[in-house]
Amino acid sequence: MRKTMVKTMLTVLMCFVLCGCFQSRSLGERAIVKAVYMNTLADGKIEAALVVFTCEPNSDTASVTGKAKIYMAKGDTLEEALYLAEQQQNKKVFYAQNELLLLGPGATKNISSYLSYFGQEDVGRLNLSVYLTELEGDEFSKCDDIIENVIQEGERLTDRTLTQASPAKSIYESIPGEKGESGWLPVLEFSPEEDYIGVKKAFLFKEDQCYEVWNATELQVALMLDGKSQRLSTQAQYDGQEISLKTGPLTMETQVLEKEDDLLLQLSISGRLEHLSIDGKTVSINRSSQELIMANRWLVDTVSNIVSQTFYEKNDVFQWEWWLRLHDAKRIEAWKSQDQMESHIQIQVIGNLSDS
């Protein structure tokens, strides 16, 4: 009899669960987190800030209204700092709409811990945008009036990358490794004293250590090499001149060739050069023009420089090794075991921008 009663109660409970008869907490009772700021301080403490929007009472929609408010706290661990920031207000925190992770200057010392934590489904969206910011916590806490615009710009850059023309899954790259994350993170510049919000540079890092800074043009080219963007639209200083160019969709063909006892990896980049100006003057583009030759030379030099800063620094963020292994996995494995792979690989860049 007792067992029968227990089974009956469990059956009824399961019916309640399956039919959703328990009242869930509406969004109107929750603190909707749209962005998170994290930083590691000089004393090792962790600083966390939640950008919270309010929504209409009893709202069950994803829309949020009202003014954003920043709640900040410090803790001995990442989890403690976030918990204490949550306690700065009296609603249940809701992270499902968290779209932006901003890492302060000190966070570059342990990038892996932040990226792995916020890679979890319960603290951010799968398409979470990640940026560095040069603002310390006390500066960030003063950004209530502009933070909504910062979030919108961060989302826009991810949706259209820096060219405003090519959709991308993300504007950053991070590859986990045994000794930490490797990749690059763009720096989102903003300030309560200035109107400008945007990206002018990115930090390249290997095994959690930042070692190089890319300007906006180099970041654009990196996104193209990584398959995150198809077009270039940029200005750059080259050969003592200021060039401005815009391309159509670009394609990159990859080929591995034998070169004596080593391997040659060819990267051939092709596409239409839609606009070119030099020192502010638009020039006509034809197949044999010196200007077109210069544009291709600029592309080759820029990509070659990025290759030198990544692959030849043992930071294969574009995963060229994958192509090399397809050609001869046994040799690649032998070279890697002897820490000699980069010395046996030559990467050649070919620019094929054309007028049509």
Side-chain angles (χ1 to χ4, degrees):
M1 180 69 178
R2 192 170 184 178
K3 290 183 178 179
T4 302
M5 290 179 62
V6 171
K7 289 181 178 179
T8 302
M9 291 175 65
L10 288 174
T11 302
V12 173
L13 179 62
M14 288 299 295
C15 288
F16 271 97
V17 172
L18 293 174
C19 70
C21 294
F22 289 110
Q23 182 65 38
S24 62
R25 191 187 297 265
S26 72
L27 289 185
E29 301 174 273
R30 296 178 177 180
I32 310 300
V33 177
K34 297 288 285 183
V36 175
Y37 168 92
M38 302 296 302
N39 195 22
T40 303
L41 302 178
D43 60 3
K45 285 188 176 294
I46 306 297
E47 202 166 36
L50 306 180
V51 179
V52 173
F53 283 76
T54 59
C55 44
E56 297 294 341
N58 301 318
S59 170
D60 289 310
T61 68
S63 62
V64 291
T65 59
K67 182 177 169 63
K69 187 168 179 59
I70 298 174
Y71 297 96
M72 179 166 282
K74 299 176 184 178
D76 291 328
T77 64
L78 189 157
E79 293 83 359
E80 183 183 45
L82 281 172
Y83 173 76
L84 293 175
E86 293 172 4
Q87 300 307 303
Q88 300 296 311
Q89 50 80 55
N90 55 14
K91 288 187 176 184
K92 175 70 175 178
V93 171
F94 185 67
Y95 283 103
Q97 292 190 39
N98 179 21
E99 305 194 25
L100 198 66
L101 173 61
L102 296 166
L103 300 178
T108 57
K109 300 172 184 176
N110 52 349
I111 294 173
S112 293
S113 61
Y114 292 114
L115 294 183
S116 60
Y117 182 84
F118 285 92
Q120 304 173 75
E121 292 184 9
D122 56 345
V123 287
R125 290 185 171 184
L126 292 177
N127 61 341
L128 182 70
S129 300
V130 184
Y131 294 91
L132 296 176
T133 172
E134 296 179 329
L135 296 184
E136 298 287 352
D138 57 342
E139 299 172 292
F140 181 77
S141 65
K142 301 173 184 176
C143 293
D144 297 74
D145 292 337
I146 65 165
I147 195 62
E148 185 173 1
N149 293 333
V150 172
I151 294 172
Q152 290 175 353
E153 181 63 10
E155 294 170 346
R156 186 193 70 79
L157 288 170
T158 296
D159 291 339
R160 289 295 176 185
T161 71
L162 301 183
T163 68
Q164 302 181 18
S166 302
K169 293 180 179 178
S170 63
I171 197 174
Y172 75 97
E173 183 60 84
S174 179
I175 302 172
E178 294 181 1
K179 298 181 180 180
E181 301 271 343
S182 297
W184 67 79
L185 284 172
V187 179
L188 187 58
E189 297 186 13
F190 59 94
S191 167
E193 292 85 23
E194 299 179 8
D195 294 331
Y196 175 77
I197 303 173
V199 171
K200 294 181 179 179
K201 61 184 176 182
F203 281 88
L204 182 63
F205 60 95
K206 180 178 73 172
E207 297 174 350
D208 275 3
Q209 299 298 315
C210 293
Y211 67 94
E212 194 68 62
V213 180
W214 284 339
N215 58 35
T217 295
E218 291 168 322
L219 178 55
Q220 268 198 50
V221 175
L223 290 169
M224 182 270 296
L225 294 174
D226 205 36
K228 296 178 183 292
S229 178
Q230 292 182 312
R231 303 171 185 259
L232 295 176
S233 179
T234 190
Q235 293 180 330
Q237 290 289 331
Y238 186 69
D239 278 356
Q241 298 173 304
E242 183 175 322
I243 64 171
S244 175
L245 59 83
K246 182 178 180 181
T247 75
L250 300 175
T251 60
M252 183 172 69
E253 295 182 5
T254 307
Q255 186 177 15
V256 181
L257 304 171
E258 295 285 338
K259 188 176 181 181
E260 298 178 354
D261 295 329
D262 298 332
L263 294 178
L264 172 67
L265 176 63
Q266 280 188 344
L267 309 175
S268 182
I269 302 168
S270 304
R272 181 170 179 264
L273 183 60
E274 296 181 342
H275 170 82
L276 176 64
S277 66
I278 299 176
D279 291 334
K281 296 180 180 180
T282 301
V283 298
S284 59
I285 305 168
N286 59 67
R287 192 163 300 178
S288 59
S289 69
Q290 291 299 312
E291 291 80 8
L292 181 59
I293 294 172
M294 184 183 72
N296 275 298
R297 197 168 70 246
W298 166 83
L299 179 61
V300 169
D301 288 349
T302 303
V303 174
S304 298
N305 186 51
I306 290 173
V307 169
S308 296
Q309 294 171 336
T310 54
F311 182 82
Y312 290 111
E313 291 293 332
K314 302 183 185 298
N315 189 12
D316 189 17
V317 294
F318 303 107
Q319 301 185 60
W320 306 128
E321 184 184 327
W322 185 83
W323 294 97
L324 297 165
R325 283 183 176 275
L326 283 180
H327 182 81
D328 193 333
K330 187 175 181 180
R331 258 198 294 177
I332 294 300
E333 192 61 41
W335 289 338
K336 285 198 70 174
S337 66
Q338 300 167 14
D339 197 25
Q340 296 179 352
M341 185 178 72
E342 291 77 16
S343 63
H344 287 281
I345 305 299
Q346 179 183 343
I347 297 181
Q348 180 186 31
V349 183
I350 302 172
N352 282 322
L353 297 179
S354 67
D355 60 338
S356 61

